[in-house]
């Protein structure tokens, strides 16, 4: 079994920065892509950013220009650098791994999900 564990969440201030990490453990596996998603109170989970092992990246409109996704293929680890934080970024952030485009993973059965890490941004 493969487990994804997020870390780096916590309290940030508007205009500040946080970096999230997601590391895989357990059975060795090769992932074609990884992504970040978030779920704010009262809202559905939404796509934030994705990266293919080819290096291609994809961002949601609300985070483009502020967040950067990167990965380490050898360790099957993905990062999310969050700059210029806003209170509306407050959410539980989840990492995921699978095949295809992460933007399309919501509702997919073959995607592996982490348990999430809380990010709270104060004004």
């Amino acid at each position: 079994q493969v487990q994804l564990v997020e870390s780096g969440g916590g309290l940030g201030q508007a205009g500040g920065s946080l970096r999230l990490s997601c590391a895989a453990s357990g059975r060795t596996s090769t992932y074609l892509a990884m992504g970040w998603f978030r779920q704010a109170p009262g809202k559905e989970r939404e796509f934030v950013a994705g990266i293919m092992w080819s290096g291609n990246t994809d961002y949601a409109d609300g985070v483009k220009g502020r967040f950067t996704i990167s990965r380490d293929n050898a360790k099957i680890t993905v990062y999310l650098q969050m700059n210029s934080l806003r209170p509306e970024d407050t959410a539980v952030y989840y990492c995921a791994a699978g095949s295809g485009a992460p933007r399309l993973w919501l509702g997919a059965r073959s995607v592996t999900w982490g348990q999430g890490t809380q990010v709270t941004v104060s004004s």
Side-chain angles (χ1 to χ4, degrees), residues 65-82:
R66 300 188 298 119
F67 292 5
T68 302
I69 187 171
S70 61
R71 52 82 174 106
D72 180 340
N73 288 350
K75 294 184 177 181
I76 314 299
T77 303
V78 66
Y79 306 92
L80 185 69
Q81 178 67 45
M82 305 186 294

Side-chain angles (χ1 to χ4, degrees), residues 84-118:
S84 301
L85 287 168
R86 304 168 179 171
E88 52 263 43
D89 294 321
T90 295
V92 176
Y93 283 71
Y94 300 87
C95 65
S99 300
R103 176 181 291 272
L104 306 178
W105 287 353
L106 289 172
R109 297 181 180 274
S110 59
V111 177
T112 298
W113 296 89
Q115 291 300 115
T117 184
Q118 176 71 49

Side-chain angles (χ1 to χ4, degrees), residues 28-80:
T28 300
S29 181
T30 300
Y31 298 99
L32 298 181
M34 298 185 74
W36 286 97
F37 299 76
R38 67 186 182 187
Q39 187 166 19
K43 296 185 178 181
E44 296 183 352
R45 189 174 301 186
E46 65 177 355
F47 168 78
V48 175
I51 185 167
M52 299 289 190
W53 299 131
S54 65
N56 290 339
T57 58
D58 185 26
Y59 297 93
D61 290 343
V63 306
K64 190 175 298 182
R66 300 188 298 119
F67 292 5
T68 302
I69 187 171
S70 61
R71 52 82 174 106
D72 180 340
N73 288 350
K75 294 184 177 181
I76 314 299
T77 303
V78 66
Y79 306 92
L80 185 69

Side-chain angles (χ1 to χ4, degrees), residues 11-19 66-67 81-87 89 119-123:
L11 178 64
Q13 295 184 340
S17 299
L18 287 172
R19 191 178 83 149
R66 300 188 298 119
F67 292 5
Q81 178 67 45
M82 305 186 294
N83 297 328
S84 301
L85 287 168
R86 304 168 179 171
D89 294 321
V119 171
T120 302
V121 182
S122 62
S123 60

